[in-house]
C-alpha cells in the first residue's frame, strides 16, 4: 500500500479526525473544569474510566477485525467517536449554560467519554492492521510513520481550530460539535469508498502468538511494548498537565480567566504538533532511520523536553518544553509500533495492533491522574517523574538486545501462507 493511495488517505483521515477531536477536547477540558470549579485531579480522574474501557476492549476489537474485517471495525470505531463527541458537547453545553448543575453535567460528560473508550479503539486498531496487511518489512516503518503522523497533524488541527468553534451559544462545547460533524463525514466516505478487500483469514487470537503464549509476554515484542508504555505514559502526563500549567502561568502574569487562556493553550499544542510533524513528515522519511534509532532519539528528546518544562521561564518555557517533548514522541511512536509489527508474523498483525491500542489506553489510565495530583503538590513534580520514566526508556533503547539490533528478529520472516499473503490490488496483499 502506497501512502499516496486513496485507501491510505482515507485511513489517514480516520486517524486525523480522531486525534483532532481528542486534542480539541483536551485543549478545552481544563478551562471547562475551572469554569465548573472542580478540582484539577477530579477533572483528570473522571476520564480514567474511558482509558480503562479502551484498554479492556482493544483485544476484542483486534479479534473482531480478524473475523469481521478491517473496514467494518473502522466504521464501528468512527460511529463511537461521533456519538461520544456529540454527547460530550451536549452535556458540556447544558452545564455551562446553567441548565444542569456542574456535578451532573460533568458526570454526563464522563459517561459520554466512557462511550468513546468502549468503541474508540476499534478504528485505530483496524487501520493499523489494514496497513500492516498491505505492506512488507521494508516499507512498513515508513507507512506506520505516515499513519502516525496523522495523529500529529490532528494535534495541529484540533487545538488550532478549537478557539474558532468557541461560539456564543455553545461556548467551550463548540469544538466537540464541530468534530462530531467531521467524524460523520469521514465515516460516510470510508463506508462508501474504502476497499474492503474481503478475504478468508484464519483469525489470530488477539494477544496470542501461534504457540498460544501471551503475545504481550513474547520476547519478540515485550521490550517494544515496555518502551512504548514508558514513553506514552510520560506523554499522557504532559498532555494532562499542560492546560492547567498554562492557566496558572498566565494567572501569575495577571491573566485570571481560564476561558481567556484557551488561545494560549491552543498555541502551545500547535507548537507541539508542528514539532511532531517536522519529525514524522521531514526527518524520518529523509533520514530513513531504523526503529532502534527512532527509539533512542525519541526517548532522549522527550527527556530533555521535560527538563525544559521544569527550568524554562514562564509561558514560553512551557511552550518550548512541550514542543521538544512532542518531537521526541514523534520519533518514538512509530518506532515501537513498526518495530513490534515487524517482529511478528503476518497473521499476528491484528493481535499486535490490539496490544498497541491497549497500551495507549493504559497510558491514559493512571498517569494523567498521578501527573495532575503531583502538579497540585508541586509544579515541577510531574516533569521530574517523567524524567525518571524516560531515563528508563533511554536505558531500554540503548541496552536491550531486542531493541538495539539493526532489525527486529522476525522482520524478514515470511507471513503465514494463505489468501492474506497473495498479491492484491496495487501490488499489496488483500485484506478486509
Amino acid at each position: 500500500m502506497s501512502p499516496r493511495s486513496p485507501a491510505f488517505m482515507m485511513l489517514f483521515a480516520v486517524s486525523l479526525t480522531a486525534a483532532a477531536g481528542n486534542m480539541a477536547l483536551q485543549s478545552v477540558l481544563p478551562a471547562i473544569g475551572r469554569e465548573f470549579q472542580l478540582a484539577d485531579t477530579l477533572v483528570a480522574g473522571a476520564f480514567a474510566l474511558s482509558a480503562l474501557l479502551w484498554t479492556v476492549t482493544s483485544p476484542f476489537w483486534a479479534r473482531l477485525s480478524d473475523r469481521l474485517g478491517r473496514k467494518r471495525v473502522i466504521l464501528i470505531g468512527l460511529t463511537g467517536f461521533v456519538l461520544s463527541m456529540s454527547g460530550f458537547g451536549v452535556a458540556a453545553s447544558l452545564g455551562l449554560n446553567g441548565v444542569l448543575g456542574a456535578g451532573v453535567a460533568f458526570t454526563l460528560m464522563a459517561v459520554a467519554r466512557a462511550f468513546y473508550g468502549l468503541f474508540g479503539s476499534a478504528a485505530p486498531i483496524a487501520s493499523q492492521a489494514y496497513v500492516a496487511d498491505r505492506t512488507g518489512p521494508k516499507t512498513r516503518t515508513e507507512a506506520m510513520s505516515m499513519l502516525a503522523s496523522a495523529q500529529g497533524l490532528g494535534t495541529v488541527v484540533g487545538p488550532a481550530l478549537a478557539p474558532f468553534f468557541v461560539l456564543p451559544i455553545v461556548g467551550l462545547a463548540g469544538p466537540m460539535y464541530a468534530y462530531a460533524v467531521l467524524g460523520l463525514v469521514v465515516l460516510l466516505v470510508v463506508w462508501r469508498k474504502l476497499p474492503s478487500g474481503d478475504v478468508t483469514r484464519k483469525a489470530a487470537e488477539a494477544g496470542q502468538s501461534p504457540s498460544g503464549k501471551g503475545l504481550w509476554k513474547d520476547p519478540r515484542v515485550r521490550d517494544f511494548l515496555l518502551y512504548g508504555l514508558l514513553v506514552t505514559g510520560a506523554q499522557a502526563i504532559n498532555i494532562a498537565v499542560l492546560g492547567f500549567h498554562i492557566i496558572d502561568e498566565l494567572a501569575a502574569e495577571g491573566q485570571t480567566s481560564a476561558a481567556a487562556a484557551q488561545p494560549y493553550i491552543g498555541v502551545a499544542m500547535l507548537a507541539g504538533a508542528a514539532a511532531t510533524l517536522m519529525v514524522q513528515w521531514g526527518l524520518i522519511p529523509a533520514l530513513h532511520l531504523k526503529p532502534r534509532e527512532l527509539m533512542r532519539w525519541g526517548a532522549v528528546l522527550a527527556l530533555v523536553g521535560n527538563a525544559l518544562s521544569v527550568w524554562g521561564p514562564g509561558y514560553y518555557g512551557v511552550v518550548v518544553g512541550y514542543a521538544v517533548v512532542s518531537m521526541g514522541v514523534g520519533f518514538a511512536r512509530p518506532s515501537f509500533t513498526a518495530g513490534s509489527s515487524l517482529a511478528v508474523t503476518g497473521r499476528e498483525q491484528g493481535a499486535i495492533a490490539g496490544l498497541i491500542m491497549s497500551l495507549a489506553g493504559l497510558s491514559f489510565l493512571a498517569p494523567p491522574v498521578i501527573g495532575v495530583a503531583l502538579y497540585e503538590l508541586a509544579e515541577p513534580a510531574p516533569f521530574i517523574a517523567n524524567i525518571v520514566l524516560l531515563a528508563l526508556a533511554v536505558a531500554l533503547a540503548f541496552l536491550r538486545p531486542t531493541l538495539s539490533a539493526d532489525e527486529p528478529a522476525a522482520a524478514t520472516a515470511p507471513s503465514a501462507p494463505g489468501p492474506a499473503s497473495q498479491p492484491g490490488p496495487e501490488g499489496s496483499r488483500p485484506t478486509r
Side-chain angles (χ1 to χ4, degrees):
M1 171 185 285
S2 166
R4 296 182 179 88
S5 67
F8 187 91
M9 295 308 296
M10 281 182 269
L11 297 178
F12 189 93
V14 170
S15 295
L16 169 64
T17 302
N22 282 305
M23 289 305 291
L25 188 152
Q26 287 285 347
S27 73
V28 300
L29 185 58
I32 292 175
R34 293 287 176 90
E35 291 289 331
F36 285 172
Q37 298 182 343
L38 299 173
D40 295 348
T41 307
L42 177 62
V43 174
F47 295 89
L49 176 60
S50 174
L52 176 62
L53 290 172
W54 178 291
T55 303
V56 171
T57 59
S58 290
F60 168 77
W61 295 122
R63 290 192 296 268
L64 194 64
S65 77
D66 283 336
R67 296 198 305 267
L68 191 61
R70 313 300 192 201
K71 177 178 177 177
R72 292 173 182 171
V73 174
I74 291 170
L75 292 174
I76 292 172
L78 283 170
T79 301
F81 172 81
V82 171
L83 294 177
S84 174
M85 293 296 284
S86 301
F88 193 102
V90 170
S93 291
L94 294 175
L96 291 168
N97 290 317
V99 177
L100 295 176
V104 175
F106 196 75
T107 299
L108 293 176
M109 289 161 59
V111 170
R113 187 62 180 171
F115 195 78
Y116 178 70
L118 191 62
F119 293 97
S121 63
I125 284 173
S127 296
Q128 180 183 321
Y130 193 107
V131 171
D133 285 339
R134 296 185 174 217
T135 54
K138 293 183 178 180
T139 59
R140 193 170 303 155
T141 298
E142 182 177 356
M144 291 295 188
S145 177
M146 287 298 294
L147 189 63
S149 74
Q151 298 181 7
L153 182 59
T155 59
V156 173
V157 173
L161 294 183
F164 295 100
F165 298 122
V166 180
L167 302 173
I169 297 177
V170 293
L172 290 167
M176 275 66 83
Y177 295 124
Y179 288 107
V181 172
L182 179 60
L184 181 60
V185 171
V186 173
L187 187 155
L188 293 174
V189 171
V190 170
W191 174 51
R192 294 293 300 275
K193 300 294 184 180
L194 183 68
S196 63
D198 289 330
V199 297
T200 302
R201 177 188 292 108
K202 181 179 179 181
E205 288 295 320
Q208 297 291 323
S209 67
S211 66
K213 186 179 180 181
L215 190 57
W216 63 273
K217 297 184 293 184
D218 194 309
R220 295 174 299 168
V221 299
R222 182 178 55 213
D223 289 337
F224 287 106
L225 296 175
L226 177 57
Y227 171 93
L229 184 60
L230 290 170
V231 172
T232 56
Q235 183 199 23
I237 290 175
N238 286 121
I239 292 172
V241 169
L242 179 65
F244 300 116
H245 196 185
I246 290 174
I247 290 171
D248 291 337
E249 288 291 339
L250 293 175
E253 298 172 5
Q255 175 60 263
T256 57
S257 170
Q262 189 57 44
Y264 295 91
I265 297 172
V267 168
M269 288 190 166
L270 180 61
T276 301
L277 291 181
M278 179 185 70
V279 167
Q280 293 181 336
W281 286 7
L283 296 179
I284 293 177
L287 299 177
H288 302 288
L289 299 175
K290 295 181 176 65
R292 65 184 174 91
E293 296 164 329
L294 296 174
M295 296 177 88
R296 291 172 179 178
W297 276 105
V300 169
L301 283 171
L303 189 155
V304 170
N306 276 279
L308 290 172
S309 297
V310 175
W311 290 288
Y315 170 72
Y316 294 104
V318 175
V319 174
V320 172
Y322 185 72
V324 176
V325 167
S326 299
M327 283 184 67
V329 175
F331 279 113
R333 187 173 292 278
S335 70
F336 67 84
T337 300
S340 57
S341 175
L342 288 168
V344 300
T345 62
R347 73 183 182 91
E348 296 172 290
Q349 292 303 322
I352 197 64
L355 281 176
I356 292 294
M357 289 304 114
S358 291
L359 183 148
L362 283 172
S363 300
F364 281 87
L365 183 56
V369 181
I370 295 172
V372 173
L374 288 173
Y375 178 77
E376 289 185 317
L377 290 174
E379 183 178 300
F383 308 109
I384 294 172
N386 272 356
I387 289 171
V388 174
L389 292 178
L390 292 165
L392 294 175
V394 171
L396 274 175
F398 278 92
L399 300 179
R400 291 295 293 171
T402 51
L403 303 186
S404 59
D406 284 342
E407 293 291 348
T412 57
S415 298
S421 63
Q422 299 302 315
E426 304 173 346
S428 63
R429 294 174 301 204
T431 181
R432 282 185 174 176

